[in-house]
Amino acid sequence: MIELLRTNDPVLLSFADSVLSDAGIEHGVADAHMSVIDGSIGALPRRIMVADDRLDEARALLTDAGVQL
């Protein structure tokens, strides 16, 4: 798996998750539980990971959806 997006914006994470899910692209959110370390203030970014062979497709989908990568 390779990193597609890194952000600490929960709305952007949710939106990207929805776009990828609707397209049938398997993905995962890494570092989702790191907020325990930073006191739940959201200072540490989370990453959306996709399979290497779907990276270009996932980037194109998010770009078409208005997400700047």
Side-chain angles (χ1 to χ4, degrees):
M1 300 206 68
I2 191 164
E3 182 179 312
L4 170 66
L5 175 68
R6 180 186 298 239
T7 184
N8 39 349
D9 180 346
V11 174
L12 179 56
L13 283 167
S14 178
F15 179 71
D17 177 64
S18 178
V19 169
L20 295 172
S21 293
D22 288 348
I25 296 178
E26 290 187 34
H27 60 285
V29 178
D31 306 323
H33 301 288
M34 293 299 290
S35 65
V36 171
I37 293 172
D38 71 8
S40 299
I41 62 171
L44 299 175
R46 287 163 290 215
R47 300 173 291 147
I48 292 187
M49 310 293 286
V50 297
D52 295 4
D53 61 338
R54 306 288 305 265
L55 179 63
D56 292 335
E57 181 184 2
R59 277 188 180 148
L61 281 168
L62 290 183
T63 300
D64 289 346
V67 177
Q68 293 183 3
L69 301 174

